[in-house]
C-alpha cells in the first residue's frame, strides 16, 4: 500500500493561500482504483493505486471512505470527484445502471453516502465522461461541436462533449456505446446481459474471446499460443503479435475490425471533430490501420474529416476529470 502523506504541506498551503484548494479525484474501475488530489488539471502527488475490492458495494464504499480519510490528513479538500464505471445521475450521484464489471453497483446512492460521512461536496460521474472532460480540456477542444472519448479496457466506455459540455442524454446513459450491437448472431454474451455488444468484441475480454475462437481451430505447430490456450491473456497475444506470430497478428487485425465497427457507427451518427482513445488497451491500437479500415467503412465525407487522437492523460484522465468537474462546479 502506498502512502498519501508525500508532499502534503507545501503545495497545498500554496494552493490554499491562492484560494485554490484541490479536490480529491478517485477513479473507480472494474479492476483498480486510482486516487490523488487534483488542482488546475494536474494531480498534486503520485496517485495511490489499489485493486477494486470484490466484496460488492459495501466494501467499495468502505475503501472510498478510507482513501478520502487518508488524503484529508494531509490536504484541505474542496470536494471529492468520483469517476465510476456505470450509468450515473450526476445530480443525485446515484448509480442507475451497471454491468457485471461492478456487480451490485446499481442503486448505490454514492454521493449521498459519501457526503453524509465526509461532509465534503461530492460529485459522481461516469468514468468515460470524466475522462472526456479532462482530455478535452487539456487539448483545448471546448469550442468543438463534438468530441468523443472512447475508453478501451475491462469494458468499452464513451464520453460525448458538445461545445465543451458533457452530453449525458435524457436518462444519463449517453455514451454507453460499449453496448451498441455490432453483430447479429447472438454469439457473445456481454456482461450487461445483451448479446453481441461492441464491448464483447473490442474490450480486453472481447480480444481474448476472439483469440480463443481463432486459436481453437488451429494446431500447436501453427502458433505456440495454441499450447497455452487456457492461460491466454491480452498481454500474451499482444506480445506474440509484436514478435511476428502470424495468428496473433490475425487476432489483432480482427480486433481492429471490431474497434472500427463501433467507431464507424458513432462517427456516422455524430460527425464529431475527433475521437480520443484511452484505457489500458488504447496503447496497442495501430492508428494507421484503424484509419485505413475507417476509410472503407464510413462515407467519404466522414472519413476525410475523421481525427483520432491518443489520450494525453492516459490512466489518469478519469480521476483528473472527476476532480476538475467538482472544482469547476464550486467556482461557478
Ligand atoms: C461498461 C460500463 C460503462 C463503462 C465502461 C468502461 C459498467 C460497470 N460499466 O461498458 O459504464 O464506462 O464499461 O469501464 O456498467 P472500464 O471499467 O473499462 O473503465
Ligand atoms: Zn453489453
Amino acid at each position: 500500500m502506498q502512502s498519501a502523506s508525500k508532499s502534503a504541506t507545501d503545495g497545498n498551503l500554496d494552493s490554499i493561500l491562492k484560494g485554490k484548494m484541490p479536490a480529491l479525484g478517485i477513479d473507480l474501475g472494474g479492476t483498480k482504483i486510482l486516487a490523488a488530489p487534483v488542482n488546475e488539471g494536474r494531480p498534486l502527488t503520485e496517485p495511490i493505486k489499489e485493486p477494486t475490492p470484490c466484496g460488492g458495494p459495501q466494501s467499495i464504499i468502505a475503501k472510498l471512505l478510507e482513501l478520502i480519510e487518508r488524503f484529508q490528513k494531509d490536504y484541505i479538500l474542496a470536494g471529492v470527484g468520483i469517476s465510476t464505471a456505470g450509468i450515473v445521475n450526476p445530480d443525485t450521484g446515484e448509480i442507475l445502471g451497471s454491468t457485471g464489471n461492478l456487480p451490485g453497483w446499481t442503486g448505490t446512492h454514492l454521493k449521498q453516502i459519501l457526503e453524509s460521512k465526509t461532509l465534503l461536496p461530492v460529485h459522481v460521474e461516469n468514468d468515460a465522461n470524466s475522462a472526456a472532460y479532462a482530455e478535452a480540456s487539456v487539448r483545448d477542444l471546448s469550442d468543438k461541436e463534438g468530441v468523443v472519448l472512447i475508453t478501451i479496457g475491462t469494458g468499452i466506455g464513451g464520453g460525448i462533449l458538445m461545445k465543451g459540455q458533457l452530453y449525458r442524454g435524457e436518462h444519463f446513459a449517453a455514451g454507453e456505446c460499449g453496448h451498441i450491437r455490432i453483430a447479429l448472431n447472438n454469439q457473445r454474451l456481454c456482461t450487461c446481459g445483451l448479446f453481441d455488444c461492441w464491448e464483447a468484441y473490442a474490450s480486453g475480454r472481447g480480444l481474448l474471446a476472439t483469440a480463443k475462437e481463432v486459436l481453437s481451430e488451429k494446431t500447436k505447430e501453427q502458433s505456440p499460443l495454441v499450447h497455452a490456450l487456457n492461460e491466454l491473456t491480452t498481454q500474451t497475444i499482444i506480445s506474440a503479435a509484436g514478435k511476428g506470430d502470424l495468428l496473433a497478428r490475425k487476432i489483432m487485425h480482427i480486433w481492429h475490425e471490431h474497434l472500427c465497427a463501433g467507431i464507424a457507427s458513432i462517427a456516422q451518427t455524430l460527425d464529431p471533430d475527433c475521437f480520443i482513445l484511452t484505457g489500458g488497451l488504447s496503447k496497442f491500437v495501430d492508428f494507421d490501420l484503424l484509419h485505413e479500415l475507417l476509410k472503407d467503412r464510413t462515407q467519404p465525407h466522414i472519413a476525410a474529416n475523421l481525427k483520432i487522437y491518443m489520450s494525453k492523460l492516459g490512466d489518469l484522465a478519469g480521476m483528473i476529470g472527476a476532480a476538475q468537474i467538482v472544482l469547476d462546479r464550486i467556482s461557478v
Side-chain angles (χ1 to χ4, degrees):
M1 200 185 286
Q2 299 168 40
S3 157
S5 60
K6 183 188 164 214
S7 80
T9 45
D10 295 356
N12 197 40
L13 192 61
D14 202 32
S15 296
I16 295 164
L17 292 175
K18 287 183 197 151
K20 291 182 204 153
M21 285 190 281
L24 181 64
I26 304 183
D27 184 43
L28 170 62
T31 50
K32 65 172 191 309
I33 300 181
L34 285 176
V38 172
N39 206 347
E40 296 183 331
R42 283 193 310 273
L44 300 182
T45 62
E46 188 65 28
I48 284 185
K49 183 174 174 180
E50 295 202 358
T52 305
C54 16
Q58 290 311 321
S59 62
I60 294 176
I61 290 164
K63 173 57 70 185
L64 296 177
L65 287 168
E66 180 202 312
L67 285 168
I68 297 168
E69 248 177 58
R70 231 196 281 178
F71 280 102
Q72 274 184 308
K73 290 197 181 111
D74 298 323
Y75 290 89
I76 297 174
L77 298 170
V80 180
I82 312 269
S83 150
T84 172
I87 301 168
V88 181
N89 177 336
D91 302 324
T92 62
E94 184 190 355
I95 311 299
L96 301 176
S98 169
T99 65
N101 292 348
L102 279 178
W105 200 224
T106 306
T108 307
H109 290 264
L110 195 56
K111 174 182 163 79
Q112 201 182 321
I113 297 170
L114 297 181
E115 283 188 345
S116 69
K117 303 265 188 206
T118 64
L119 303 179
L120 287 168
V122 174
H123 180 81
V124 187
E125 188 72 59
N126 168 267
D127 55 358
N129 284 357
S130 306
Y133 193 85
E135 289 284 350
S137 151
V138 87
R139 284 183 181 274
D140 207 8
L141 294 169
S142 55
D143 62 326
K144 301 295 178 195
E145 281 295 327
V147 171
V148 179
L149 175 132
I150 305 290
T151 149
I152 314 162
T154 317
I156 297 255
I160 303 166
L161 282 148
M162 291 177 171
K163 291 237 184 243
Q165 299 293 314
L166 278 171
Y167 177 74
R168 297 189 176 89
E170 188 67 30
H171 313 97
F172 308 109
E176 282 293 318
C177 52
H179 310 283
I180 295 172
R181 188 169 165 89
I182 67 155
L184 292 178
N185 296 327
N186 290 355
Q187 274 180 6
R188 290 198 195 171
L189 181 61
C190 179
T191 58
C192 75
L194 295 170
F195 277 100
D196 291 339
C197 294
W198 188 24
E199 178 169 311
Y201 292 83
S203 66
R205 194 180 287 121
L207 171 62
L208 217 49
T210 303
K212 286 187 177 167
E213 265 174 32
V214 171
L215 295 169
S216 64
E217 297 161 358
K218 305 293 175 190
T219 63
K220 291 174 188 164
E221 288 69 41
Q222 287 174 285
S223 166
L225 291 177
V226 178
H227 207 58
L229 210 53
N230 291 328
E231 291 91 53
L232 212 58
T233 63
T234 50
Q235 279 308 323
T236 52
I237 302 160
I238 290 161
S239 111
K243 288 179 192 147
D245 181 302
L246 289 181
L247 283 176
R249 288 176 62 176
K250 178 178 173 184
I251 293 161
M252 292 306 286
H253 190 92
I254 300 173
W255 179 61
H256 280 80
E257 280 282 11
H258 289 151
L259 271 182
C260 177
I263 293 177
S265 304
I266 299 166
Q268 284 289 147
T269 311
L270 292 181
D271 180 23
D273 170 70
C274 64
F275 284 85
I276 301 170
L277 305 187
T278 188
L281 283 188
S282 60
K283 46 185 172 292
F284 304 109
V285 173
D286 176 340
F287 281 70
D288 291 339
L289 173 60
L290 188 58
H291 268 292
E292 200 186 303
L293 294 171
L294 281 162
K295 228 175 2 183
D296 293 337
R297 284 150 187 75
T298 50
Q299 288 184 309
H301 182 72
I302 298 275
N305 293 301
L306 206 54
K307 295 194 282 276
I308 308 177
Y309 301 130
M310 182 64 182
S311 150
K312 278 194 175 177
L313 300 169
D315 261 11
L316 306 184
M319 181 192 85
I320 293 174
Q324 205 51 53
I325 294 173
V326 176
L327 294 172
D328 291 350
R329 284 196 163 200
I330 291 170
S331 64
V332 167

